[in-house]
Structures are given as C-alpha cells and as structure tokens.
Amino acid sequence: MAIYHFSAKIMGRGTGRSAVASAAYRSASRLHDERLGRHHDFTNKAGVVHSEVMLPEGAPERLRDRETLWNEVEATEKRKDAQFAREVEFAIPREMTRDQGVALAREFVAREFVGRGMVADLNVHWDIGPDGEAKPHAHVMLTMREVGPDGFGPKVREWNATALLQSWRENWARHVNDRLSQLGIEVRIDHRSYDAQGIELEPQHKIGAAGARREAKGEDAERAQDHRAIARDNGAAIIADPRVGLETLTRQQATFTVRDLAMFAHRHSDGQEQFDRVLDAMRHHETVLALGHDGHGAERFTTTSMLSAEQVLVRDAEHLAQMRGHSVSRADLGRAVDAAEARGMQLGAEQRAALDHVLRKPGLALVVGYAGAGKSAMLGVAREAWEATGYTVRGAALSGIAAENLEGGSGIASRTIASLEHGWARDRDRLTPRDVLVVDEAGMIGTRQLQRVLAEAAGAGAKVVMVGDAQQLQAIEAGAAFRLLAERHGAAEIGEVRRQTAEWMREATRNFATGRTGEALAAYNQAGMVHAADTRDVARAALIDRWDAERRDAPAASRIILTHTNQEVQMLNRAARDRLHAQGELGTDLAIRTERGLREFADNDRILFLKNERDLGVKNGTLGTIEKAAPDNLSVRLDDGRRISVDLKTYAHVDHGYAATVHKTQGMTIDRTHVLATPGLDGHSSYVALSRHRTSTVLHYGRDDFADEAALRRTLARERPKDMALDYDRAAPPSPTRPQPTAVARAPADPGPTAPREQPRRLAALVSRVFGRAEEHTPAQAPTRDTSVAVGSQEAGGGRHPGRDQVDARAQAASRAKTAESGRSADPANSDQAKALRAMMAARNAAPRQTPEAMREALAAAKKAPVASRDKDYGAER
C-alpha cells in the first residue's frame, strides 16, 4: 500500500554529527573523514540499490566524488555548531519496481533540488521489513551553500523557507500520483495533514527498514517508538469509535471492499492483536452497510454517514426541484434571444431546448453537455433573461480556471465553491430567493461539497442550475453526485458539438463523449493527425517540430501542448523554449526563483499562473505572454487582453506556459492543440485532451509506451468513473462473518412534476455501459412545451469500481476466527438489527432538512487550519 512520507531535517555539528559519516552510512560505502582523521566504513550495510551525487549546472566535477564533496563541505564550515547539510527523506510506493522507484526519485531530486542549485547526494534504499514487505525510500543529503566553478559560496537562506518545504511536500505527492497513474497503479497518496483532510486520526511517522532491524536487535530505532505509539493510539481511537476510521476511509471513495478495510487497519494498528480488533470493529460497526457486488464480483460496503450525505443531497435536490418561484416571462426570454442574434449568436435546437429548460420555474435545473457544445454561450443568454426579470446570477466552479472560463464565456460573475463556502460560513455573500446560482463543471464536485451547496440554496430559496459532463474528469472527493442527480431529475442534453470547425471533428468529439474512443481515434488517424514514433523521446521531438511549423504558419492562432504528467510538461516547455531561443524569438534569459524551483524567463515567453490571486486577477491555469522580464518583476499580457505586473517577491506561483496537464485545461477552448499520449491517460482525460481545439489537434505517442494503435485505443478508452452508495439497490447476501444491513435507494413518494422521464438515448447508453446495467425504460411522456430532453431515473443494479476483494492473510484469519466464534450465518437478533438500521435510515430521511446554520457550524469546525511545521510528518495515505 502506497503511503505518504516526506520529512526534512538539518544536519549539524551541534548534535555531534559528521557529514562524511552520514554520507558513508546512507551510501553503504567507506569514506575517509579528513576532519576527524578516520575512516567510516558501512560497506556491510544492505539494501542500497542506487547511490549517486547529482551536481547543478556550473558545479566543479570534482564534487561528484562523495568523499571529496563532504570533506569540502566540512572544511567550509568553521563553527562548532555549524549546519552543514539538509537531509530529505521520502517513501517510494512499494507497488513500483526498483527501476521505476529509482527513476521516480532521480527525476524529483533533479527538478526540485539540483534545479535550485543544490548538490544532492541521493541514495535509494529497498529494505525488506520484518513482515516481509518492501519498504522502499530515499535519503537525499543536500548542500546549503551556493556552488560555482571555484567551489562553495555563501549560504542560501531562501532554501530554509517553510513555504518551500511545503511546496516540496505537495510536489512530491503530485509527482508520485502522476507516475502511479501513468503506470496504471490505482493507489494514490495525499500530502495534506489529517487535520486538513478533516480526519481525526494522528499522522504516523515512518519506520525505515534499518530502524526495524535495530529495534529487533533491542537497539533504539529512530522514530520507531513514536511511530508505534501513534499507530497504537490511532488503533485505540478506532476501536473506541470505529466511525473515525470509516469517515477517513470514505473521504475520497463512497464505497469500499473488505480488502480496503484490511489495508487501512494494517496502517493504523500496532501488532496482530490490535489489527484484528481494529478490522473487526470497523467491519462490524453498526454504521457499515452492505451494498452488494460490483461488476468485478467484489462485495462493496458504505457507511450510514456516506449514505446519509447522499440521501440529504437527493432530498435537498428534490426540495429545490419542487420550488416554482423563478419564472421568466416570454417577453424577457424573447429579448435575450433577440439580443444574442443581433450579436451574431445563433442558438442551435438543443441549445434553445436547454435554454427553455433552465429558465422554467423549478428551482433545480441540470444540463448535460458535451465538450464544446456551447453550454457557456447558452448560459450567457439565460443570464440576460434572468437579469431582465430582476434576478441576481452568480457562478461557481470547483477550480479557479473553470470559474474564470464560465465568467468569460457567459458573463456570469463567478467564484470557486471554496470561496463561496468560506463566505457562507462567516455569514457573508449568502444566497437569497432572488439569486440564481450556476454551477459549472458539476461532474468534478464531490458528494459532500455539492450537498452543502444545495443545502445553502434550499435554505435560502435560491435556484440552482448545474452544468457538466459525467464523462469528463471525475470528482476528486467521494461520489458522482451530478451524474446521480441527472439520472433522478432529468437533464437537458446538448449533444450538438459546436467548438470544432469541421463536422467530422465534431462527430469525433461526440464519439469520445459516448465512449466510442476507437472510432474517434480512427477518424483522427485517417486525417493524418495521429503520429507514432519509436520512443516517447522521438515522439516528443516530432511534436515540437510540428508545433513550431504550425506556429510559424499561423502565428495569430492560439495553441497549447497537452500531456498527462507534470514531468512531461516541464520537458515539453524546455524543448519549446529551446526552439524559440534558436530562432531568436526570446529575449535574454533571467533566472527567477519560483515556487516550483529555478526557472529562466525572457521577454516574449509564455507564462502559466499556478495559484488564484484576486489582487492580480489570475487563476490557477491562467495563461499569458511576458512583455518585459526583470529579476523581481514580470510585465505580462494575459490572453484575455489585460496587462498586469507581477511582483515576484509576493507572488512566484508561475511556470512556463507552452505546455500544460490535461487537468489544467478542462473548460478551455484553444484553436490548435498538440497532445503527447502517455500510459496515464484514460477515457476521461483523453476526451478532455482531444476536445479542446477549434481547428486542429495532433496526437503523438511512442511505441515504447504503446506497442501499436490497438494498445493506444485500449488505454485511451479505459473508463474509471466514481460510484455512489445509491448506485447499489439489490439486497446483498449475508457476510461470511455476520449479516450486514443492506442499503436500498429510496424512491420519492410523490414524483409530482419532477417525476423521472425517459432517458435520452446517448446518456442512457453511457450509464448502461459504465455501470453494467440493463437499460430500464419508463413510459415516455408525450412531448409538451414544459418537457425538455431529460434523463430518466434508474436504480443501479451493479457497481463499477474495479475493486479487488481478496483479503490479506491477517484479514482472512480474523474473518475465520470470527466465523468460528459466531457459528451461524444469520439469527433473529442480527435480522432485528438490520431492520433497526433500515428504520434509522428511514427516520433520517424524514428528519427536518439540514439548515444553513447547521452547515455553517460544520464548516467552521472543519476549516480549522493546521499549523505548519517542518518537524512533523503531515502525510497520510489515501
């Protein structure tokens, strides 16, 4: 199981340490210490699989010798309490091979440390713990002074900044997750503290394999006692209140398997006995509900808390849908449409149907639209009609760039959902009955967050319009709330793609949107827009050649290079800048220290902003061109035409803007795109990547990643959507150890005017394919003026997580012991408990609706900011 561990500490003489001895131990080598006049020999140490000294540009080659390096460092430091090095230690996912782990560590060290000017002594250890499991990790000793051709200079105080350490921690998690996704490994890590994730457990330190061996010999092991104490305390906390562990487990997944429970219990316990008790307490807690088996045969579970959040979401949505206080007159609608036509905007038939749908009286309206279908343009006309009637229209999206694109495309003043919630929790910018809240990219919003938004709107009597595409990038947090609500309440569907100029490209986008990835790729291949190369490096070079040729042929067109990982983005940015420098199109490079490390910027460089900043008017993902570069200031012309001045002393969250990850660009529209395919792409990200363009897109790949086009199609067609507890409505068989209450999705007692309608053909096919359901059709209503193209409600009959239900040996032993103890598969007491739990959930459904006041109290408690510290590991496994 991949865990997050990233720690940093200062090494100095004040604690009696020697730089040479430390380097010898970490590299398992024999080094002579000139200051102490002795040798340090650790050649008998096992487990070191890679050892390397990495030098920044301009450093003398003699420092590549480890003995020379650290003796020179020791000679440079004169004080008795001198600090001579910084050590960074991080865990490598054990799911990777040794070669993959070494490459992962080398790339990160080169980018984050050597790129900033540090000399890095990297040692990768692949120890085996007492439990027989690999414990791969890396030790990096870093110099603390500038280094040039003549050796070491003054110390760089900026390298001690807490903000820089926090950036390293975050970048390591991003780097690891990018590589895990690229390798097709399902696990992820999270750099945030438990507190920041809303988790009540205490983060645990890591015990290295060497520490475990020393502890086994009766010697003191660094951090081992603290680690086990924390694990033991966490295990005790879970045993005392298993809901703590279950809430942590369902933070990013709505359902789970027994194997998920066993892995979690292993991490948060100390010893076999406590592991058994933790697993038993969580698995058999009264809040655990059995849901049935997913499409891969694994039995899935959820918690009453997760199911309750989904049911409250459904109930608030139903309340909104029953409201009838947001009407727009025919005259206001007609004037808005006429004004749009006067500007040259001609709405298509599906756009007009969606416009009619969102302007009707109900307080909830959903629009499912393909990429480039003109959703923002339709919302712009709707905004004019709402404002003419006297409503205030407000926009919201999960990310800053999505909010910016919504505002730019529709004229709706927009903010991030986090910003809105921050204000609501402090009784500011509250919704009113005269508000219309438009939520864009709703498919990326998790269940709990969307439920809070709907609770605020329902309490205020505001109207909510949600727009999204269930096939694009999935929610980060648990659940697929937008898809569930579209199934239950119906949605206007805009399938007429308008972004691409050529009809065959629009048809290809429709194919991507409906899962026919092979047909879409075949169309681009036939048009000469899919290019294979022997290796990824050759494919990258060919992409830059084509990008450069098209740039010179059509300099006025907007363009961007897209790929999956941040590492590839950096390599593509570097290659693009090298090409422009060779042609004399960039000014003189200036070395600028950014939050991502040392970067060189010049006049005419493309720049990407990486953090929302209201004072500058930029979002995470905003692009621009540098008009004048200075050491502490950049004059930038943003792509929307605005000019800003960036003070690098207060805002350094920038990078080159020739290439970007696919996740940065959902919602963007660009004239031309160039895509480098890597194994981390799937059906969701490839759909986004290959639908951003207006006029052309070109896909490049290497045969070392994809043996042939069939392998490319298989990877780019992978569907990895998230599920909901309410997707499962079939009674589950009893657990081998005890029967579990079974969750049943509740149908509304009185459908009324929002009764589920017949599913549109396209979305019905998508739902059937993704969830493995048989298509069920309700009788179609006769078309009327008040009936839009809508999605019918279906109860889910199968799951869609590729979960594995094989329990590790300890979980199986615990299960067998429990079975032997109980000696039964079902009895009246357990049946009564199951009935009681179902009755409890029914009572929860009938309880008064959640009030905004209660929501604000919960938010205020959850928003407690953790204190940053370099001495504590704030990591947690996902």
Side-chain angles (χ1 to χ4, degrees):
M1 178 178 181
I3 63 169
Y4 182 88
H5 169 74
F6 189 104
S7 64
K9 61 185 177 184
I10 298 297
M11 307 173 74
R13 292 196 190 119
T15 57
R17 304 186 99 174
S18 160
V20 180
S22 297
Y25 177 77
R26 281 148 183 79
S27 61
S29 59
R30 185 176 189 269
L31 302 179
H32 179 69
D33 191 328
E34 295 174 0
R35 183 175 67 90
L36 298 178
R38 54 170 292 190
H39 283 87
H40 304 287
D41 190 349
F42 295 97
T43 51
N44 288 330
K45 176 179 170 58
V48 180
V49 297
H50 181 82
S51 185
E52 175 184 10
V53 174
M54 303 172 69
L55 301 181
E57 186 176 354
E61 190 64 25
R62 70 176 184 275
L63 297 182
R64 202 174 295 278
D65 177 76
R66 182 172 285 110
E67 187 173 271
T68 301
L69 166 66
W70 295 112
N71 275 302
E72 196 163 319
V73 166
E74 287 275 14
T76 304
E77 305 298 341
K78 306 299 184 184
R79 293 168 54 108
K80 292 182 179 179
D81 60 349
Q83 298 177 344
F84 49 72
R86 175 181 291 102
E87 183 181 32
V88 171
E89 181 182 345
F90 48 82
I92 296 171
R94 65 178 57 171
E95 289 81 0
M96 292 184 179
T97 66
R98 289 188 180 185
D99 289 344
Q100 292 168 346
V102 169
L104 182 83
R106 290 191 77 256
E107 291 158 8
F108 180 79
V109 170
R111 183 175 70 244
E112 298 293 337
F113 305 135
V114 179
R116 282 183 164 84
M118 307 176 198
V119 179
D121 187 351
L122 168 66
N123 293 281
V124 178
H125 295 185
W126 214 273
D127 300 314
I128 304 299
D131 58 356
E133 293 283 352
K135 296 183 180 296
H137 60 281
H139 296 270
V140 190
M141 288 180 60
L142 303 167
T143 57
M144 304 180 70
R145 293 178 177 272
E146 289 183 353
V147 62
D150 298 327
F152 290 105
K155 286 190 174 180
V156 183
R157 303 301 176 186
E158 292 82 359
W159 293 346
N160 296 329
T162 301
L164 182 59
L165 174 60
Q166 294 298 100
S167 173
W168 287 338
R169 292 175 51 80
E170 181 177 353
N171 292 345
W172 173 246
R174 185 185 299 113
H175 179 65
V176 171
N177 288 335
D178 284 346
R179 186 58 51 84
L180 289 170
S181 177
Q182 179 182 348
L183 295 173
I185 300 172
E186 298 276 336
V187 296
R188 297 293 182 271
I189 61 174
D190 194 325
H191 73 284
R192 296 174 298 169
S193 69
Y194 277 173
D195 195 13
Q197 297 178 68
I199 295 171
E200 298 181 22
L201 299 179
E202 186 176 355
Q204 295 165 206
H205 300 306
K206 167 187 171 289
I207 299 179
R213 287 195 299 269
R214 289 197 302 273
E215 187 182 25
K217 295 176 182 178
E219 303 172 5
D220 291 333
E222 190 175 6
R223 293 188 304 275
Q225 185 176 0
D226 190 27
H227 170 91
R228 297 193 185 284
I230 294 174
R232 188 162 51 251
D233 290 345
N234 283 339
I238 295 171
I239 293 168
D241 185 3
R243 287 172 297 185
V244 173
L246 293 167
E247 286 296 310
T248 304
L249 187 61
T250 56
R251 183 63 51 180
Q252 292 177 313
Q253 58 188 88
T255 71
F256 52 87
T257 66
V258 176
R259 184 177 187 275
D260 294 330
L261 284 174
M263 294 170 68
F264 184 88
H266 176 72
R267 170 68 172 163
H268 298 287
S269 63
D270 181 22
Q272 176 73 46
E273 181 181 356
Q274 193 181 46
F275 167 84
D276 293 339
R277 295 179 64 196
V278 170
L279 180 61
D280 185 73
M282 291 178 66
R283 185 175 183 182
H284 301 120
H285 192 256
E286 62 181 6
T287 61
V288 174
L289 301 174
L291 298 173
H293 292 78
D294 62 21
H296 295 265
E299 188 177 10
R300 303 203 75 86
F301 303 85
T302 192
T303 64
T304 55
S305 173
M306 189 72 242
L307 183 61
S308 176
E310 295 184 9
Q311 291 176 323
V312 172
L313 170 83
V314 170
R315 188 176 60 213
D316 285 333
E318 183 66 25
H319 177 81
L320 288 168
Q322 296 290 346
M323 296 192 316
R324 293 293 186 273
H326 294 83
S327 60
V328 173
S329 67
R330 287 178 177 270
D332 288 335
L333 171 58
R335 282 191 288 271
V337 173
D338 291 342
E341 291 177 348
R343 297 192 300 267
M345 180 188 299
Q346 187 69 39
L347 295 178
E350 291 181 328
Q351 283 179 305
R352 182 56 190 266
L355 178 65
D356 291 341
H357 178 67
V358 301
L359 292 179
R360 291 184 183 129
K361 294 181 180 180
L364 178 69
L366 295 94
V367 177
V368 175
Y370 294 168
K375 300 183 291 291
S376 296
M378 178 274 295
L379 290 172
V381 180
R383 174 189 58 80
E384 296 181 30
W386 280 318
E387 291 177 344
T389 308
Y391 296 112
T392 299
V393 187
R394 304 167 67 177
L398 186 66
S399 68
I401 195 62
E404 184 178 85
N405 291 331
L406 172 62
E407 183 167 345
S410 65
I412 299 172
S414 303
R415 296 165 59 184
T416 63
I417 294 176
S419 174
L420 288 176
E421 287 193 284
H422 182 81
W424 296 344
R426 287 153 182 77
D427 206 27
R428 297 196 302 264
D429 301 323
R430 302 293 303 280
L431 296 178
T432 72
R434 301 298 295 173
D435 282 338
V436 177
L437 180 64
V438 177
V439 181
D440 198 16
E441 304 293 356
M444 298 180 68
I445 306 172
T447 297
R448 292 183 177 94
Q449 188 171 37
L450 188 57
Q451 183 271 316
R452 296 195 297 268
V453 172
L454 295 192
E456 168 71 13
K463 181 184 178 80
V464 176
V465 176
M466 287 188 281
V467 182
D469 184 350
Q471 187 66 1
Q472 294 193 48
L473 298 176
Q474 300 294 288
I476 297 172
E477 301 294 340
F482 175 71
R483 187 262 305 158
L484 179 76
L485 294 180
E487 290 180 31
R488 287 174 172 260
H489 290 277
E493 188 171 336
I494 308 178
E496 181 185 357
V497 179
R498 303 168 72 89
R499 177 179 290 158
Q500 284 79 41
T501 55
E503 172 55 33
W504 70 267
M505 288 186 184
R506 295 194 288 269
E507 180 61 27
T509 297
R510 287 190 286 270
N511 286 335
F512 276 122
T514 53
R516 299 194 293 271
T517 304
E519 296 178 32
L521 289 175
Y524 281 109
N525 190 28
Q526 187 174 357
M529 296 183 176
V530 177
H531 299 276
D534 289 338
T535 66
R536 188 192 300 182
D537 291 341
V538 176
R540 188 186 306 113
L543 184 151
I544 293 298
D545 288 342
R546 187 173 297 272
W547 167 84
D548 184 40
E550 292 188 3
R551 180 187 63 83
R552 286 184 276 110
D553 290 343
S558 60
R559 57 181 47 82
I560 195 166
I561 302 169
L562 301 177
T563 190
H564 182 63
T565 68
N566 284 300
Q567 177 195 356
E568 277 297 339
V569 165
Q570 187 172 352
M571 297 174 73
L572 288 162
N573 275 326
R574 188 182 304 117
R577 293 192 78 250
D578 289 346
R579 184 63 57 89
L580 294 178
H581 263 307
Q583 297 172 4
E585 298 188 33
L586 296 182
T588 302
D589 277 342
L590 289 175
I592 292 175
R593 200 168 300 283
T594 73
E595 291 299 323
R596 286 191 172 181
L598 198 64
R599 296 287 189 272
E600 292 184 333
F601 286 99
D603 296 352
N604 299 322
D605 243 333
R606 291 288 288 167
I607 187 171
L608 173 70
F609 293 86
L610 301 170
K611 184 179 180 181
N612 299 346
E613 178 52 61
R614 187 174 298 180
D615 292 341
L616 287 175
V618 298
K619 301 289 195 302
N620 181 3
T622 298
L623 290 162
T625 301
I626 297 175
E627 294 185 321
K628 182 65 176 177
D632 57 357
N633 185 276
L634 298 175
S635 298
V636 180
R637 183 182 71 255
L638 302 180
D639 283 0
D640 62 10
R642 292 181 292 127
R643 284 180 165 80
I644 62 172
S645 179
V646 182
D647 184 352
L648 294 168
K649 294 190 295 295
T650 59
Y651 183 95
H653 300 272
V654 294
D655 208 336
H656 299 118
Y658 303 96
T661 61
V662 176
H663 280 72
K664 277 269 190 287
T665 61
Q666 178 157 331
M668 281 189 182
T669 299
I670 304 291
D671 290 332
R672 301 183 178 193
T673 61
H674 300 262
V675 180
L676 179 62
T678 60
L681 290 174
D682 58 19
H684 310 289
S685 53
S686 61
Y687 171 29
V688 173
L690 294 168
S691 62
R692 301 301 94 201
H693 62 286
R694 291 190 184 94
T695 59
S696 72
T697 186
V698 181
L699 178 69
H700 292 262
Y701 71 93
R703 293 191 183 92
D704 53 347
D705 288 327
F706 309 98
D708 51 30
E709 192 172 337
L712 177 72
R713 286 197 302 270
R714 285 194 299 272
T715 298
L716 269 58
R718 291 179 299 176
E719 288 177 337
R720 297 191 282 194
K722 289 201 168 185
D723 67 352
M724 301 279 283
L726 290 178
D727 287 333
Y728 304 82
D729 70 338
R730 295 179 181 174
S735 166
T737 57
R738 92 184 245 189
Q740 297 289 340
T742 302
V744 179
R746 178 175 60 92
D750 179 14
T754 60
R757 293 168 286 239
E758 183 179 4
Q759 285 193 351
R761 173 181 55 82
R762 288 183 292 266
L763 193 56
L766 173 63
V767 170
S768 177
R769 184 182 71 256
V770 171
F771 298 102
R773 308 177 188 176
E775 296 189 39
E776 304 171 9
H777 295 280
T778 56
Q781 294 179 337
T784 65
R785 186 185 179 280
D786 196 47
T787 302
S788 65
V789 178
V791 181
S793 173
Q794 290 184 335
E795 301 299 330
R800 55 195 175 92
H801 257 258
R804 296 165 293 176
D805 200 28
Q806 181 180 0
V807 189
D808 66 24
R810 295 206 297 177
Q812 293 178 21
S815 177
R816 287 193 295 268
K818 183 69 178 179
T819 303
E821 178 187 349
S822 64
R824 66 188 188 275
S825 60
D827 62 25
N830 286 329
S831 298
D832 290 342
Q833 185 185 43
K835 293 176 182 178
L837 282 171
R838 286 193 289 272
M840 178 188 70
M841 296 310 301
R844 191 189 297 270
N845 288 329
R849 189 167 40 81
Q850 177 176 326
T851 64
E853 288 75 16
M855 181 197 72
R856 289 196 302 276
E857 291 176 5
L859 277 174
K863 293 278 184 183
K864 182 177 66 175
V867 178
S869 170
R870 291 189 298 167
D871 301 324
K872 189 174 184 179
D873 176 21
Y874 280 104
E877 85 281 9
R878 176 171 171 179

